[in-house]
Amino acid sequence: MTQQRRQARVPIRGQAILSNDQGVCITASTKDISHDGIGLNKPIDPLAEAEYRIKVSTDTGRQIHLRATLIHSSINTTGFRTSSIDERNLQIITDLVAEYQNTDDFIKQIDEHDLLQQTYIDEDGNEVSVTFDTK
C-alpha cells in the first residue's frame, strides 16, 4: 500500500462515517483532507482494502460525501484516496483548502517542511513551479 499524495492535505476537524457494500459501518475522527483523499485519526482495524462511502461532518457544520479507497494504515492514521466525488462536495473541499491557506498554521507548515524548496512533479513527469498569489 505505498502511495504518494498528489495534493497537500489540510487539517479538518470532525467525524467520518465509513460504510461499504459488505455492511461495514465505522465512525472515526477526521485528521486531514484534500481533493485526492482523506486521513482519519488512529488506525482502523480490521479494514479491508475496498471502496468506502465516506460521510464527513465537520465541526463547522459542513457535510462532505465521497467514495474513497483505503491506501494506508499506520500507527497514527488511516488514509484513503478519493475515487468518486461530485462537484458540490469538491467545492466544499476547495473552500476548506482556501480557508486554511489564509491561516498562520499554513505558513508554519510551509516553513517546517521547507515546501518551497522541494521539487514537485505532475502526473506527466513535468516539474511544477510552486507560487503563491498575494492580495
Side-chain angles (χ1 to χ4, degrees):
M1 267 197 281
T2 309
Q3 300 290 329
Q4 184 177 14
R5 289 186 190 156
R6 290 181 284 192
Q7 305 230 354
R9 292 189 180 171
V10 299
I12 181 173
R13 291 189 352 203
Q15 293 293 313
I17 299 174
L18 289 75
S19 58
N20 69 10
D21 294 336
Q22 287 73 41
V24 173
C25 189
I26 298 168
T27 301
S29 65
T30 57
K31 177 181 170 81
D32 51 33
I33 196 164
S34 75
H35 296 98
D36 287 340
I38 185 166
L40 305 177
N41 287 312
K42 301 187 176 144
I44 302 171
D45 289 323
L47 197 59
E49 288 185 42
E51 184 177 68
Y52 292 85
R53 290 178 300 280
I54 301 177
K55 176 184 174 185
V56 177
S57 300
T58 70
D59 285 355
T60 60
R62 292 179 173 136
Q63 299 281 316
I64 303 167
H65 299 264
L66 60 107
R67 288 184 164 276
T69 305
L70 175 70
I71 58 169
H72 82 84
S73 186
S74 68
I75 292 173
N76 298 317
T77 63
T78 301
F80 297 84
R81 175 171 286 154
T82 301
S83 53
S84 175
I85 187 168
D86 65 26
E87 286 298 319
R88 181 180 106 21
N89 288 288
L90 193 60
Q91 184 60 50
I92 294 169
I93 295 171
T94 298
D95 293 345
L96 289 169
V97 170
E99 290 167 14
Y100 181 70
Q101 289 175 339
N102 287 317
T103 66
D104 290 339
D105 288 341
F106 176 65
I107 302 301
K108 289 176 190 172
Q109 182 180 9
I110 289 172
D111 189 40
E112 285 174 11
H113 299 287
D114 202 17
L115 296 177
L116 295 178
Q117 300 305 315
Q118 294 183 21
T119 301
Y120 298 94
I121 307 296
D122 67 13
E123 293 174 355
D124 297 325
N126 301 312
E127 188 172 328
V128 177
S129 174
V130 177
T131 61
F132 294 93
D133 291 331
T134 57
K135 294 182 180 184

